[in-house]
DNA sequence: TGCTAGTCAATATA
DNA sequence: TATATTGACTAGCA
């Protein structure tokens, strides 16, 4: 039961109409309200950090010069989402009609159409969400008001939503109109001199009501949650699916898959579902959620996101620039699992396997999944609170080129997700790591740690800058000569043996200035039509194909590849000035400058033409070239 | 059909 | 107990 009793006068928007006393009475103003006839004249906050007095839109259209319909507590609260419920406070806005994006028609309050929340939001100048939430948190804390009560009474949101809003407020410019509504409510609530009084009153009423209920029926251990909240009955018995609790290895696998391809195609989703013994729906949900939540950390210089917030843990970086195919995925995941075990001081070996041999390298063993991996449960073995965010920089030195690639470079050849543009559609937020169609916002920056999967020690000279650039701190001092990673469709045992051998060879490699020695022998030039088979098919591909080298004229790339490569560059964050010289002048993408290739690489590639549009070889060129080689070996 | 944005609510954590 | 996290879901859109 809503302990309502809280009936405030209606909220008026425009001068001449009384604002409810709670909002400051006549003359009170909406925060940052814009005049519809003019440009914003007031910043949302004064220099002292206090909100400006509400600026009225004196010339608002007549259609919204009417009081908002008073909102009472509906007799029945069931069946409606919280956000549709009116607020008992004078921060209330009319219940929304999502179809018309305006207030629900209220037969009890006929008359001119009141401005909807959306209209109000549209009329509202930028609010500093960070300041608002900070103030809200201060007030709540100082007055011992919980998020739950505040959310339900003021915002019409659940506790979890309130928590997210308060702890991770999106900058105003990143909010949709609807997403701005809670912040407008908060601002209105802050402006209400009686806000605390009312909230405390509600709190007391709830407490007393709860006492009464308990007194009436002590056996009913009904939590307050189920009583004072708008408990929506499951309509038609269609309740939410019970939430799945992912195991650590499932999460790790999903993160890895995400790093390989944040937009997996259906085949890959089904593959993951099978591997992880989850439903495809769960997989897609996870990817959706993960993309969205990574985006909640804009981190862009222009963004007004909270400066105190740290970016989310970077995903497994060894996947950067690699393609999603089952074999690749399994190998990388097994490496990751072993790494995690090592970090946790657990034995790297798994039951029934030789030490260090992950079961994913043995497809004949039970599939990788929560019950695979040697039957070990990482949750149990590793405990909670795993910091899987950044692997140690000691076991992946096979792909330093990937430091300049981004997620688009990780697209599966069969994934076909290289189309489109990677720039954030609103031009704000984090630099796009993923080149996408204009519909898709890019996922958050992907961090690169090219050395993750190697068994070598840390490479302190490598500095991770961001998702696509790994700074070579002092000039182009050579790092590992192993510049590319090519995971061939080789039988796993053979692959592992080869890997071990390569590692040994790398350890004894001395001439770091001769990348040519590590450059792969150019495999057959790929057919322009190749590369369209899905990863599952790739997995079934035969052993590495030998064939004629593409020769120095291997590039220019096919048109699609050019597109893909440019998109790879599109999301590149700005690298150090010293490294952002001149390549890709011909790129159609905005911020596509890539660090030029170090001279040592030029030597290796001097006989190969850089990709179209490039003056010389850069990392993108090299990356694209290497991708083609890999693909050509997979799809001769 | 699949995406984003927003939200709920179960669960984990402080 | 309060807050944070996160899987599931919906609406709207292209």
């Amino acid at each position: 039961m809503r302990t309502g009793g809280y009936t405030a006068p209606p909220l008026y928007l425009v001068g001449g109409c009384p604002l409810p006393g709670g909002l400051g009475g006549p003359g009170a103003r909406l925060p940052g309200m814009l005049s519809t006839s003019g440009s914003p004249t007031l910043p949302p906050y004064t220099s002292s950090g206090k909100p400006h007095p509400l600026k009225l839109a004196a010339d608002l259209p007549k259609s919204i010069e009417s009081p908002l319909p008073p909102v009472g507590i509906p007799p029945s609260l069931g069946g409606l989402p919280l956000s549709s419920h009116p607020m008992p406070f004078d921060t209330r806005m009319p219940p929304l009609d999502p179809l018309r994006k305006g207030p629900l028609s209220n037969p009890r309050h006929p008359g001119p159409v009141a401005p909807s929340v959306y209209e109000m939001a549209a009329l509202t100048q930028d609010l500093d969400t960070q300041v608002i939430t900070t103030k809200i948190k201060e007030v709540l804390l100082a007055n011992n008001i919980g998020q739950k009560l505040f959310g339900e009474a003021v915002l019409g949101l659940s506790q979890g939503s309130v928590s997210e809003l308060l702890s991770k407020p999106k900058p105003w410019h990143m909010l949709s109109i609807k997403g701005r509504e809670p912040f407008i409510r908060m601002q209105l609530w802050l402006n209400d001199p009686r806000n605390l009084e009312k909230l405390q009153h509600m709190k007391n009423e709830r407490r007393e009501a709860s006492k009464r209920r308990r007194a009436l029926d002590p056996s009913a251990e009904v939590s307050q949650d189920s009583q004072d909240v708008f408990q929506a009955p499951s309509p038609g018995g269609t309740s939410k699916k019970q939430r799945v609790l992912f195991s650590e290895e499932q999460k790790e696998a999903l993160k890895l898959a995400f790093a390989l391809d944040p937009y997996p195609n259906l085949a890959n989703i089904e593959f993951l579902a099978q591997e992880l013994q989850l439903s495809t729906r769960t997989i897609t949900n996870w990817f959706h959620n993960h993309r969205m939540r990574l985006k909640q950390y804009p981190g862009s210089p222009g963004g007004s996101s909270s400066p105190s917030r740290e970016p989310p843990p970077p995903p497994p970086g060894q996947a950067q620039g690699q393609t999603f195919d089952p074999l690749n995925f399994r190998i990388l995941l097994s490496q990751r699992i072993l790494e995690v075990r090592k970090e946790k001081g657990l034995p790297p070996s798994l039951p029934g396997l030789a030490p260090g041999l992950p079961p994913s390298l043995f497809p004949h063993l039970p599939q990788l999944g929560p019950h695979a991996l040697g039957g070990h449960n990482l949750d149990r073995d590793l405990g909670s609170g795993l910091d899987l965010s950044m692997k140690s920089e000691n076991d992946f030195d096979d792909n330093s080129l990937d430091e300049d690639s981004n997620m688009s470079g990780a697209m599966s050849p069969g994934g076909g997700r290289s189309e489109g543009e990677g720039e954030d559609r609103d031009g704000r937020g984090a630099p796009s790591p993923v080149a996408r169609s204009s519909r898709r916002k890019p996922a958050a920056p992907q961090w690169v740690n090219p050395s993750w999967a190697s068994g070598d020690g840390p490479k302190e000279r490598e500095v991770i800058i961001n998702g696509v650039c790994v700074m070579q701190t002092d000039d182009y001092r050579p790092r590992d000569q192993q510049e590319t990673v090519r995971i061939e469709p080789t039988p796993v045992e053979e692959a592992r043996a080869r890997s071990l051998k390569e590692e040994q060879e790398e350890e004894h490699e001395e001439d770091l200035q001769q990348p040519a020695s590590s450059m792969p022998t150019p495999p057959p030039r790929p057919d322009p039509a190749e590369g369209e088979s899905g990863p599952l098919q790739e997995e079934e591909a035969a052993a590495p194909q030998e064939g004629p080298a593409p020769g120095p004229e291997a590039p220019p790339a096919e048109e699609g590849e050019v597109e893909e490569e440019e998109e790879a560059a599109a999301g590149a964050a700005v690298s150090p000035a010293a490294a952002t010289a001149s390549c890709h002048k011909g790129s159609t993408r905005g911020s596509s400058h890539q660090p030029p290739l170090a001279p040592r690489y030029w030597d290796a590639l001097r006989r190969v033409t850089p990709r179209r549009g490039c003056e010389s070889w850069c990392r993108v060129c090299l990356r694209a070239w290497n991708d083609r080689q890999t693909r050509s070996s997979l799809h001769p």
Side-chain angles (χ1 to χ4, degrees):
Chain A
M1 147 185 152
R2 291 289 297 279
T3 54
Y6 221 87
T7 53
L11 169 64
Y12 291 81
L13 281 183
V14 200
C17 299
L19 283 161
L23 274 176
R29 294 156 181 247
L30 285 174
M33 177 74 76
L34 283 178
S35 163
T36 55
S37 63
S39 56
T41 54
L42 285 178
Y45 294 94
T46 64
S47 56
S48 63
K50 292 184 178 179
H52 274 296
L54 299 174
K55 181 180 187 301
L56 290 187
D59 50 356
L60 282 176
K62 286 291 180 185
S63 64
I64 62 172
E65 282 188 11
S66 59
L68 294 174
V71 177
I73 299 171
S76 170
L77 294 167
L80 287 175
L82 284 179
S83 58
S84 297
H85 288 291
M87 296 301 98
F89 284 87
D90 42 14
T91 59
R92 347 173 260 231
M93 299 172 184
L96 304 178
D97 179 350
L99 294 180
R100 62 175 292 268
K101 293 187 176 181
L104 293 170
S105 60
N106 187 342
R108 295 168 58 188
H109 300 278
V113 177
S116 70
V117 170
Y118 301 119
E119 289 165 332
M120 291 175 66
L123 292 169
T124 305
Q125 196 179 3
D126 285 8
L127 298 179
D128 191 328
T129 58
Q130 184 66 36
V131 170
I132 292 175
T133 54
T134 300
K135 289 182 177 178
I136 291 286
K137 282 186 283 188
E138 286 172 2
V139 172
L140 297 185
L141 189 64
N143 296 276
N144 196 25
I145 296 170
Q147 292 177 350
K148 185 172 180 295
L149 174 65
F150 177 75
E152 291 165 1
V154 178
L155 304 180
L157 298 175
S158 64
Q159 178 270 324
S161 300
V162 174
S163 172
E164 202 153 0
L165 284 176
L166 293 181
S167 61
K168 292 176 281 191
K170 285 184 181 176
W172 185 258
H173 68 260
M174 289 186 69
L175 291 165
S176 69
I177 297 297
K178 185 173 186 292
R180 293 175 176 180
E181 175 189 337
F183 294 100
I184 297 174
R185 289 190 193 275
M186 287 184 217
Q187 182 64 68
L188 291 170
W189 185 80
L190 284 172
N191 291 345
D192 181 357
R194 296 181 59 210
N195 53 9
L196 287 171
E197 178 188 337
K198 297 168 184 173
L199 214 48
Q200 295 286 6
H201 185 248
M202 283 191 68
K203 190 177 173 182
N204 294 335
E205 284 194 342
R206 287 187 177 200
R207 188 180 301 150
E208 289 172 10
S210 178
K211 282 180 184 175
R212 282 196 297 270
R213 274 190 298 269
R214 269 197 286 270
L216 287 174
D217 187 3
S219 63
E221 283 297 327
V222 183
S223 72
Q224 194 175 351
D225 293 7
S226 59
Q227 298 168 15
D228 54 13
V229 186
F230 324 91
Q231 275 283 315
S234 359
T238 58
S239 57
K240 261 188 174 181
K241 176 187 172 185
Q242 192 169 10
R243 120 178 218 182
V244 172
L245 293 179
F246 294 148
S247 65
E248 278 301 328
E249 60 265 33
Q250 283 174 320
K251 289 179 188 173
E252 200 58 31
L254 287 166
K255 288 177 190 173
L256 173 60
F258 185 90
L260 288 166
D261 185 356
Y263 294 85
N265 58 25
L266 184 59
N268 290 347
I269 288 174
E270 288 174 348
F271 166 77
L272 286 170
Q274 193 176 12
E275 285 292 283
L276 304 178
Q277 300 178 4
L278 297 167
S279 70
T280 56
R281 176 67 183 229
T282 297
I283 300 293
T284 54
N285 278 340
W286 187 90
F287 273 84
H288 288 163
N289 285 326
H290 202 62
R291 283 195 297 264
M292 292 302 100
R293 279 158 188 160
L294 283 179
K295 283 180 64 178
Q296 291 183 3
Y297 300 85
S300 63
S304 59
S305 61
S306 67
S308 61
R309 258 190 289 141
E310 294 297 326
Q318 89 281 17
Q320 295 295 323
Q322 300 197 29
T323 61
F324 188 101
D325 69 79
L327 178 60
N328 195 8
F329 172 76
R330 284 173 173 157
I331 291 173
L332 292 172
L333 180 58
S334 65
Q335 289 172 338
R336 181 63 186 141
I337 297 295
L338 289 176
E339 173 66 20
V340 169
R341 295 183 65 86
K342 193 165 70 177
E343 288 171 1
K344 292 294 174 180
L346 295 169
S349 62
L350 295 170
L353 296 176
L357 297 184
S360 55
L361 291 178
F362 297 85
H364 57 279
L365 291 180
Q367 280 191 320
L368 179 66
H371 308 296
L373 297 172
H376 271 224
N377 185 321
L378 277 179
D379 282 336
R380 188 172 55 246
D381 286 353
L382 304 175
S384 59
L386 274 176
D387 180 11
L388 306 173
S389 58
M390 179 61 76
K391 51 204 179 327
S392 60
E393 300 185 5
N394 61 357
D395 45 7
F396 205 18
D397 59 355
D398 58 356
N399 202 0
S400 57
L401 285 177
D402 286 342
E403 66 200 22
D404 290 326
S405 58
N406 53 33
M407 298 304 288
S408 69
M411 293 302 105
S412 165
R417 291 188 175 275
S418 59
E419 81 289 350
E421 176 53 71
E423 180 136 355
D424 196 325
R425 71 183 177 205
D426 53 10
R428 297 172 295 251
S432 164
V434 184
R436 291 292 165 197
S437 71
S438 58
R439 281 191 67 220
R440 293 178 185 162
K441 283 190 177 178
Q446 304 299 312
W447 289 67
V448 175
N449 187 343
S451 64
W452 185 59
S454 85
D456 300 333
K459 299 174 181 55
E460 297 177 355
R461 60 180 177 272
E462 293 177 350
V463 177
I464 296 173
I465 302 296
N466 57 28
V468 289
C469 295
V470 176
M471 179 180 174
Q472 294 174 324
T473 50
D474 39 352
D475 60 47
Y476 291 110
R477 182 166 35 154
R479 289 177 289 172
D480 295 310
Q481 72 282 9
Q482 188 74 14
E483 295 295 347
T484 62
V485 58
R486 298 183 56 199
I487 298 178
E488 307 285 2
T490 309
V492 287
E493 294 84 354
E494 181 183 339
R496 182 181 175 276
R498 178 185 303 176
S499 174
L500 291 173
K501 182 184 176 186
E502 288 173 351
E503 286 180 8
Q504 293 171 350
E505 289 173 351
E506 291 164 16
E507 290 173 359
H508 297 89
E509 193 77 43
E510 292 181 355
D511 185 5
L512 300 182
Q513 299 291 343
Q514 299 299 324
S517 63
S518 65
M519 289 300 297
T521 300
R525 179 173 184 170
D527 185 320
E530 58 82 22
E532 293 307 312
S533 62
L536 289 173
Q537 284 69 42
E538 292 174 15
E539 183 184 31
E540 296 162 2
Q545 303 291 318
E546 298 296 333
E553 293 78 25
E558 295 81 6
E559 189 62 33
E561 290 176 342
V562 170
E563 189 78 3
E564 183 176 329
E565 295 149 15
E566 288 176 348
E567 287 162 357
V574 178
S575 53
T580 52
S582 65
C583 195
H584 285 299
K585 284 186 177 177
S587 170
T588 59
R589 309 306 186 211
S591 56
S592 61
H593 291 293
Q594 291 288 316
L597 205 60
R600 57 197 166 97
Y601 300 139
W602 301 348
D603 201 30
L605 295 164
R606 63 181 180 275
R607 289 188 300 273
V608 188
T609 308
R611 48 165 249 160
R612 199 157 51 210
C614 288
E615 293 178 348
S616 61
W617 276 92
C618 69
R619 297 172 186 278
V620 171
C621 298
L622 186 58
R623 161 95 196 130
W625 179 80
N626 184 60
D627 282 348
R628 279 197 296 278
Q629 311 318 311
T630 302
R631 265 182 272 171
S632 65
S633 67
L634 290 170
H635 306 282

